[in-house]
Amino acid sequence: MMPAPVTCNAASPADAPVDVERLFQEHRQHLVRFVQRYTRSLEDAEDVVQNTFIEALRCADRFAGMSKPSTWLFGIALNLARNHVRRNSAGLYETVEDGYFEQIKDQRANPAELCESRQMSSKVDALLRSFPPKIRETFDVVVNREIPYEEAAEYLDVPVGTVRSRVSRVRAAVRERFGDRA
């Protein structure tokens, strides 16, 4: 049951309870939009706003009048929205064992080295594109797919010596162009 409405412009605001019913009528929709920015869900925002008005009714007699009643109401809503988000986000993240990130950390994750590696990779790719398609395919099969020369020869239907020669030709060109950097 709602308390009897009392205007907020009373001579002594600390003595007059807040008119929660009027606050509900004037600010409910705005509060829902405000809370929805925190909860990211209309249904959750509606729940939080409902709890805001319940809390406002429960504490209306303690409103000190140090701010506008709407500011007080939005403060309650903000606190409840934050609590709601904290409570509901606690189970969103998977816990991992101690040391997990140390196990997956890339020891070579130096940004400068990664950038240099990407640049070198682009240059090597450009060099590879300059070779005839059969040589590129042979190099790809042996180096990128890590297939032994004998299996590559069967796959490509060429002699093993041809596979060795093609791969050697590419490696020599890379060494000639880039030296030890590649």
Side-chain angles (χ1 to χ4, degrees):
M1 180 170 174
M2 293 281 207
V6 176
T7 60
C8 294
N9 296 346
S12 176
D15 295 336
V18 178
D19 184 354
V20 177
E21 185 176 350
R22 186 174 60 83
L23 286 173
F24 177 83
Q25 292 169 352
E26 291 177 3
H27 298 288
R28 183 189 168 284
Q29 288 299 337
H30 188 73
L31 263 176
V32 169
R33 288 190 306 272
F34 174 76
V35 170
Q36 190 174 1
R37 285 185 288 198
Y38 288 92
T39 63
R40 306 276 189 222
S41 161
L42 179 60
E43 294 80 18
D44 289 346
E46 292 280 352
D47 290 344
V48 169
V49 169
Q50 181 178 359
N51 289 334
T52 298
F53 284 104
I54 291 170
E55 187 70 16
L57 277 172
R58 197 172 69 74
C59 300
D61 60 331
R62 288 183 267 159
F63 175 65
M66 303 293 278
S67 64
K68 294 186 339 189
S70 59
T71 304
W72 170 74
L73 185 67
F74 276 78
I76 293 171
L78 178 61
N79 287 334
L80 291 174
R82 286 178 179 158
N83 290 341
H84 178 82
V85 169
R86 277 189 211 114
R87 211 174 25 254
N88 291 337
S89 66
L92 291 179
Y93 302 102
E94 183 179 325
T95 58
V96 295
E97 294 178 22
D98 291 339
Y100 173 75
F101 291 109
E102 292 299 319
Q103 292 173 8
I104 63 170
K105 182 175 80 170
D106 185 356
Q107 298 297 327
R108 297 170 287 135
N110 178 331
E113 290 174 2
L114 290 173
C115 181
E116 184 180 349
S117 175
R118 281 190 206 110
Q119 290 173 345
M120 182 57 70
S121 180
S122 294
K123 291 176 183 178
V124 170
D125 285 343
L127 176 65
L128 286 173
R129 283 192 299 273
S130 71
F131 283 99
K134 289 183 179 184
I135 292 177
R136 285 196 315 260
E137 182 184 21
T138 304
F139 189 78
D140 179 62
V141 167
V142 172
V143 175
N144 293 336
R145 297 185 199 173
E146 299 179 352
I147 296 177
Y149 289 138
E150 293 77 18
E151 290 179 34
E154 279 183 39
Y155 175 78
L156 297 168
D157 197 30
V158 296
V160 174
T162 303
V163 171
R164 290 180 198 272
S165 172
R166 290 176 180 173
V167 170
S168 177
R169 187 171 164 194
V170 172
R171 286 182 173 157
V174 169
R175 275 193 304 277
E176 182 181 314
R177 170 92 44 100
F178 305 111
D180 293 336
R181 295 180 300 167

